[in-house]
Short mmCIF file of all heavy atoms in Angstrom, two decimals:
data_model
loop_
_atom_site.label_atom_id
_atom_site.label_comp_id
_atom_site.label_asym_id
_atom_site.label_seq_id
_atom_site.Cartn_x
_atom_site.Cartn_y
_atom_site.Cartn_z
N ASN A 612 11.20 36.90 172.74
CA ASN A 612 11.92 37.77 173.67
C ASN A 612 13.19 37.10 174.21
O ASN A 612 13.53 37.22 175.38
CB ASN A 612 11.01 38.17 174.84
CG ASN A 612 9.79 38.94 174.37
OD1 ASN A 612 9.88 39.78 173.48
ND2 ASN A 612 8.63 38.65 174.96
N GLY A 613 13.87 36.39 173.30
CA GLY A 613 15.12 35.74 173.67
C GLY A 613 14.96 34.41 174.36
O GLY A 613 15.96 33.74 174.66
N VAL A 614 13.74 33.98 174.62
CA VAL A 614 13.50 32.72 175.33
C VAL A 614 13.13 31.64 174.32
O VAL A 614 12.18 31.80 173.54
CB VAL A 614 12.36 32.88 176.36
CG1 VAL A 614 12.10 31.55 177.07
CG2 VAL A 614 12.70 33.98 177.36
N PRO A 615 13.87 30.50 174.29
CA PRO A 615 13.54 29.43 173.34
C PRO A 615 12.21 28.77 173.67
O PRO A 615 11.93 28.45 174.82
CB PRO A 615 14.70 28.44 173.50
CG PRO A 615 15.27 28.73 174.86
CD PRO A 615 15.06 30.19 175.10
N HIS A 616 11.38 28.60 172.64
CA HIS A 616 10.07 27.97 172.82
C HIS A 616 10.23 26.46 172.95
O HIS A 616 11.11 25.87 172.32
CB HIS A 616 9.15 28.31 171.65
CG HIS A 616 7.70 28.17 171.94
ND1 HIS A 616 7.08 26.96 172.07
CD2 HIS A 616 6.74 29.11 172.16
CE1 HIS A 616 5.80 27.15 172.35
NE2 HIS A 616 5.56 28.45 172.41
N ILE A 617 9.39 25.84 173.76
CA ILE A 617 9.57 24.40 174.02
C ILE A 617 9.05 23.53 172.88
O ILE A 617 9.49 22.38 172.73
CB ILE A 617 8.91 23.99 175.35
CG1 ILE A 617 7.40 24.31 175.34
CG2 ILE A 617 9.60 24.64 176.53
CD1 ILE A 617 6.66 23.74 176.54
N HIS A 618 8.13 24.05 172.04
CA HIS A 618 7.60 23.17 171.00
C HIS A 618 7.22 23.90 169.70
O HIS A 618 6.51 23.33 168.87
CB HIS A 618 6.37 22.39 171.51
CG HIS A 618 5.23 23.27 171.94
ND1 HIS A 618 4.74 23.26 173.21
CD2 HIS A 618 4.49 24.19 171.27
CE1 HIS A 618 3.74 24.12 173.31
NE2 HIS A 618 3.58 24.70 172.13
N SER A 619 7.71 25.11 169.50
CA SER A 619 7.40 25.84 168.26
C SER A 619 8.67 26.12 167.48
O SER A 619 9.72 26.40 168.05
CB SER A 619 6.67 27.16 168.58
OG SER A 619 5.37 26.90 169.05
N PHE A 620 8.54 26.07 166.15
CA PHE A 620 9.70 26.17 165.26
C PHE A 620 9.37 27.07 164.08
O PHE A 620 8.20 27.27 163.74
CB PHE A 620 10.11 24.78 164.78
CG PHE A 620 10.43 23.82 165.89
CD1 PHE A 620 9.42 23.10 166.51
CD2 PHE A 620 11.73 23.65 166.33
CE1 PHE A 620 9.70 22.22 167.54
CE2 PHE A 620 12.02 22.78 167.36
CZ PHE A 620 11.00 22.06 167.98
N ILE A 621 10.42 27.61 163.45
CA ILE A 621 10.27 28.43 162.26
C ILE A 621 11.22 27.90 161.19
O ILE A 621 12.35 27.52 161.49
CB ILE A 621 10.54 29.92 162.57
CG1 ILE A 621 10.31 30.79 161.33
CG2 ILE A 621 11.96 30.13 163.11
CD1 ILE A 621 10.34 32.29 161.62
N CYS A 622 10.73 27.85 159.96
CA CYS A 622 11.57 27.36 158.85
C CYS A 622 12.36 28.54 158.29
O CYS A 622 11.78 29.52 157.80
CB CYS A 622 10.69 26.74 157.77
SG CYS A 622 11.64 25.87 156.50
N VAL A 623 13.68 28.46 158.40
CA VAL A 623 14.56 29.54 157.99
C VAL A 623 15.42 29.05 156.81
O VAL A 623 16.35 28.29 156.99
CB VAL A 623 15.47 29.99 159.16
CG1 VAL A 623 16.34 31.16 158.72
CG2 VAL A 623 14.64 30.38 160.37
N PRO A 624 15.09 29.50 155.58
CA PRO A 624 15.80 28.98 154.41
C PRO A 624 17.15 29.67 154.19
O PRO A 624 17.36 30.39 153.22
CB PRO A 624 14.83 29.29 153.27
CG PRO A 624 14.11 30.52 153.73
CD PRO A 624 13.99 30.41 155.22
N ASP A 625 18.08 29.48 155.14
CA ASP A 625 19.40 30.10 155.00
C ASP A 625 20.47 29.05 154.73
O ASP A 625 21.55 29.08 155.29
CB ASP A 625 19.74 30.93 156.24
CG ASP A 625 19.71 30.11 157.52
OD1 ASP A 625 19.30 28.93 157.47
OD2 ASP A 625 20.10 30.64 158.58
N GLY A 626 20.13 28.13 153.83
CA GLY A 626 21.04 27.05 153.48
C GLY A 626 20.52 25.72 153.96
O GLY A 626 20.05 25.59 155.10
N ILE A 627 20.55 24.72 153.09
CA ILE A 627 20.06 23.38 153.42
C ILE A 627 21.24 22.47 153.71
O ILE A 627 22.16 22.34 152.90
CB ILE A 627 19.20 22.82 152.28
CG1 ILE A 627 17.93 23.67 152.12
CG2 ILE A 627 18.84 21.36 152.51
CD1 ILE A 627 17.08 23.29 150.94
N ARG A 628 21.20 21.81 154.84
CA ARG A 628 22.26 20.86 155.22
C ARG A 628 21.97 19.51 154.60
O ARG A 628 20.82 19.04 154.56
CB ARG A 628 22.30 20.75 156.74
CG ARG A 628 23.36 19.78 157.26
CD ARG A 628 23.42 19.81 158.77
NE ARG A 628 24.35 18.83 159.31
CZ ARG A 628 24.63 18.70 160.59
NH1 ARG A 628 24.05 19.50 161.48
NH2 ARG A 628 25.48 17.79 161.01
N PHE A 629 23.04 18.86 154.11
CA PHE A 629 22.88 17.51 153.56
C PHE A 629 24.14 16.70 153.84
O PHE A 629 25.19 17.24 154.21
CB PHE A 629 22.59 17.56 152.05
CG PHE A 629 23.76 18.01 151.20
CD1 PHE A 629 24.69 17.12 150.72
CD2 PHE A 629 23.92 19.35 150.88
CE1 PHE A 629 25.77 17.53 149.93
CE2 PHE A 629 24.98 19.78 150.09
CZ PHE A 629 25.90 18.87 149.63
N CYS A 630 24.02 15.39 153.67
CA CYS A 630 25.19 14.52 153.78
C CYS A 630 24.99 13.31 152.89
O CYS A 630 23.87 13.05 152.41
CB CYS A 630 25.44 14.08 155.24
SG CYS A 630 24.29 12.85 155.83
N GLU A 631 26.07 12.58 152.66
CA GLU A 631 26.03 11.40 151.80
C GLU A 631 27.05 10.40 152.31
O GLU A 631 28.21 10.76 152.57
CB GLU A 631 26.35 11.80 150.36
CG GLU A 631 26.18 10.70 149.34
CD GLU A 631 26.40 11.23 147.92
OE1 GLU A 631 25.47 11.85 147.37
OE2 GLU A 631 27.50 11.04 147.39
N ALA A 632 26.60 9.17 152.51
CA ALA A 632 27.50 8.09 152.94
C ALA A 632 27.45 6.99 151.91
O ALA A 632 26.39 6.66 151.37
CB ALA A 632 27.08 7.56 154.31
N GLU A 633 28.61 6.40 151.61
CA GLU A 633 28.64 5.29 150.66
C GLU A 633 29.66 4.26 151.10
O GLU A 633 30.69 4.59 151.71
CB GLU A 633 28.93 5.77 149.23
CG GLU A 633 30.24 6.49 149.04
CD GLU A 633 30.43 6.93 147.59
OE1 GLU A 633 29.66 6.48 146.72
OE2 GLU A 633 31.35 7.69 147.32
N GLN A 634 29.34 3.00 150.78
CA GLN A 634 30.21 1.91 151.21
C GLN A 634 30.12 0.74 150.24
O GLN A 634 29.02 0.36 149.81
CB GLN A 634 29.82 1.44 152.62
CG GLN A 634 30.76 0.40 153.19
CD GLN A 634 30.46 0.08 154.64
OE1 GLN A 634 29.39 0.43 155.15
NE2 GLN A 634 31.38 -0.57 155.31
N CYS A 635 31.27 0.20 149.89
CA CYS A 635 31.35 -1.06 149.16
C CYS A 635 31.64 -2.18 150.15
O CYS A 635 32.31 -1.96 151.17
CB CYS A 635 32.46 -1.01 148.10
SG CYS A 635 32.12 0.09 146.72
N ARG A 636 31.14 -3.37 149.84
CA ARG A 636 31.42 -4.49 150.72
C ARG A 636 32.92 -4.71 150.82
O ARG A 636 33.64 -4.66 149.84
CB ARG A 636 30.71 -5.75 150.20
CG ARG A 636 30.83 -6.93 151.14
CD ARG A 636 29.79 -7.99 150.83
NE ARG A 636 28.42 -7.53 151.05
CZ ARG A 636 27.84 -7.46 152.25
NH1 ARG A 636 28.52 -7.79 153.34
NH2 ARG A 636 26.59 -7.04 152.35
N ASN A 637 33.38 -4.91 152.04
CA ASN A 637 34.82 -5.07 152.35
C ASN A 637 35.62 -3.79 152.13
O ASN A 637 36.85 -3.82 152.06
CB ASN A 637 35.44 -6.22 151.54
CG ASN A 637 34.74 -7.55 151.78
OD1 ASN A 637 34.36 -7.85 152.90
ND2 ASN A 637 34.55 -8.33 150.72
N GLY A 638 34.92 -2.67 152.01
CA GLY A 638 35.61 -1.39 151.86
C GLY A 638 35.22 -0.43 152.95
O GLY A 638 34.28 -0.67 153.72
N PRO A 639 35.93 0.68 153.08
CA PRO A 639 35.62 1.67 154.12
C PRO A 639 34.34 2.44 153.81
O PRO A 639 33.99 2.62 152.63
CB PRO A 639 36.83 2.60 154.11
CG PRO A 639 37.32 2.52 152.70
CD PRO A 639 37.08 1.11 152.24
N LEU A 640 33.68 2.91 154.84
CA LEU A 640 32.54 3.80 154.66
C LEU A 640 33.08 5.22 154.48
O LEU A 640 33.86 5.70 155.31
CB LEU A 640 31.60 3.73 155.86
CG LEU A 640 30.26 4.46 155.69
CD1 LEU A 640 29.16 3.74 156.46
CD2 LEU A 640 30.34 5.91 156.17
N VAL A 641 32.71 5.85 153.38
CA VAL A 641 33.18 7.20 153.06
C VAL A 641 32.03 8.17 153.25
O VAL A 641 30.90 7.90 152.83
CB VAL A 641 33.72 7.26 151.62
CG1 VAL A 641 34.23 8.66 151.30
CG2 VAL A 641 34.84 6.24 151.43
N LEU A 642 32.34 9.31 153.86
CA LEU A 642 31.30 10.25 154.25
C LEU A 642 31.54 11.62 153.64
O LEU A 642 32.66 12.12 153.65
CB LEU A 642 31.26 10.36 155.77
CG LEU A 642 30.07 11.08 156.40
CD1 LEU A 642 28.76 10.34 156.12
CD2 LEU A 642 30.28 11.20 157.90
N PHE A 643 30.47 12.21 153.11
CA PHE A 643 30.48 13.56 152.58
C PHE A 643 29.40 14.36 153.32
O PHE A 643 28.42 13.80 153.81
CB PHE A 643 30.16 13.59 151.09
CG PHE A 643 31.07 12.75 150.23
CD1 PHE A 643 30.79 11.41 150.03
CD2 PHE A 643 32.19 13.30 149.64
CE1 PHE A 643 31.62 10.63 149.25
CE2 PHE A 643 33.03 12.53 148.86
CZ PHE A 643 32.74 11.18 148.66
N ALA A 644 29.59 15.66 153.39
CA ALA A 644 28.57 16.54 153.95
C ALA A 644 28.60 17.85 153.19
O ALA A 644 29.53 18.12 152.42
CB ALA A 644 28.81 16.78 155.45
N GLY A 645 27.56 18.67 153.41
CA GLY A 645 27.57 19.92 152.66
C GLY A 645 26.40 20.82 153.00
O GLY A 645 25.56 20.54 153.86
N ILE A 646 26.37 21.92 152.28
CA ILE A 646 25.32 22.92 152.39
C ILE A 646 24.99 23.39 150.98
O ILE A 646 25.87 23.56 150.14
CB ILE A 646 25.75 24.10 153.30
CG1 ILE A 646 24.63 25.12 153.45
CG2 ILE A 646 27.02 24.76 152.79
CD1 ILE A 646 24.91 26.17 154.51
N LYS A 647 23.70 23.56 150.71
CA LYS A 647 23.28 24.00 149.38
C LYS A 647 22.17 25.05 149.53
O LYS A 647 21.62 25.25 150.60
CB LYS A 647 22.80 22.83 148.53
CG LYS A 647 21.51 22.19 149.01
CD LYS A 647 21.09 21.07 148.06
CE LYS A 647 19.72 20.52 148.43
NZ LYS A 647 19.26 19.48 147.49
N ASP A 648 21.89 25.72 148.40
CA ASP A 648 20.85 26.76 148.36
C ASP A 648 21.10 27.86 149.39
O ASP A 648 20.16 28.42 149.96
CB ASP A 648 19.46 26.15 148.60
CG ASP A 648 19.09 25.11 147.56
OD1 ASP A 648 19.71 25.11 146.48
OD2 ASP A 648 18.18 24.29 147.82
N LEU A 649 22.38 28.16 149.60
CA LEU A 649 22.75 29.26 150.51
C LEU A 649 22.90 30.52 149.66
O LEU A 649 23.84 30.65 148.87
CB LEU A 649 24.05 28.93 151.24
CG LEU A 649 24.58 30.00 152.20
CD1 LEU A 649 23.58 30.24 153.32
CD2 LEU A 649 25.94 29.59 152.77
N LYS A 650 21.98 31.47 149.81
CA LYS A 650 21.98 32.69 149.00
C LYS A 650 22.73 33.80 149.73
O LYS A 650 22.42 34.11 150.87
CB LYS A 650 20.55 33.12 148.69
CG LYS A 650 19.81 32.12 147.81
CD LYS A 650 18.42 32.59 147.46
CE LYS A 650 17.72 31.60 146.55
NZ LYS A 650 16.35 32.02 146.17
N LEU A 651 23.73 34.35 149.05
CA LEU A 651 24.61 35.35 149.65
C LEU A 651 24.67 36.59 148.76
O LEU A 651 24.61 36.49 147.53
CB LEU A 651 26.02 34.78 149.83
CG LEU A 651 26.14 33.54 150.71
CD1 LEU A 651 27.53 32.93 150.59
CD2 LEU A 651 25.84 33.88 152.16
N MET A 652 24.85 37.75 149.39
CA MET A 652 24.98 39.00 148.64
C MET A 652 25.83 39.99 149.42
O MET A 652 25.74 40.06 150.65
CB MET A 652 23.60 39.63 148.39
CG MET A 652 23.67 41.02 147.75
SD MET A 652 22.10 41.90 147.77
CE MET A 652 21.18 40.98 146.55
N LYS A 653 26.69 40.69 148.70
CA LYS A 653 27.29 41.91 149.26
C LYS A 653 27.17 43.00 148.20
O LYS A 653 27.35 42.76 147.01
CB LYS A 653 28.72 41.69 149.71
CG LYS A 653 29.74 41.23 148.68
CD LYS A 653 31.08 41.05 149.39
CE LYS A 653 32.18 40.66 148.45
NZ LYS A 653 33.47 40.46 149.16
N THR A 654 26.86 44.21 148.65
CA THR A 654 26.46 45.27 147.73
C THR A 654 27.62 46.13 147.25
O THR A 654 27.42 47.02 146.41
CB THR A 654 25.41 46.17 148.40
OG1 THR A 654 25.92 46.65 149.65
CG2 THR A 654 24.13 45.39 148.66
N THR A 655 28.81 45.86 147.75
CA THR A 655 30.01 46.56 147.29
C THR A 655 31.21 45.67 147.59
O THR A 655 31.06 44.51 147.95
CB THR A 655 30.15 47.94 147.96
OG1 THR A 655 31.22 48.66 147.34
CG2 THR A 655 30.39 47.82 149.44
N GLN A 656 32.41 46.23 147.43
CA GLN A 656 33.65 45.48 147.63
C GLN A 656 33.74 44.29 146.68
O GLN A 656 34.17 43.20 147.06
CB GLN A 656 33.78 45.01 149.09
CG GLN A 656 34.11 46.10 150.08
CD GLN A 656 35.58 46.53 149.99
OE1 GLN A 656 36.08 46.93 148.94
NE2 GLN A 656 36.27 46.45 151.11
N SER A 657 33.30 44.50 145.45
CA SER A 657 33.42 43.49 144.41
C SER A 657 33.55 44.17 143.06
O SER A 657 32.92 45.20 142.81
CB SER A 657 32.18 42.57 144.41
OG SER A 657 32.22 41.69 143.30
#
């Protein structure tokens, strides 16, 4: 009813968040992020 529960959760598969960090010694840390398995549909205008 619009009120956030204090300890209950629901798994909503509307895209999985991920990230990737990599570093060589004496080099900068490079960071990537992303989203995968995001299923999208539109039924017209295509």
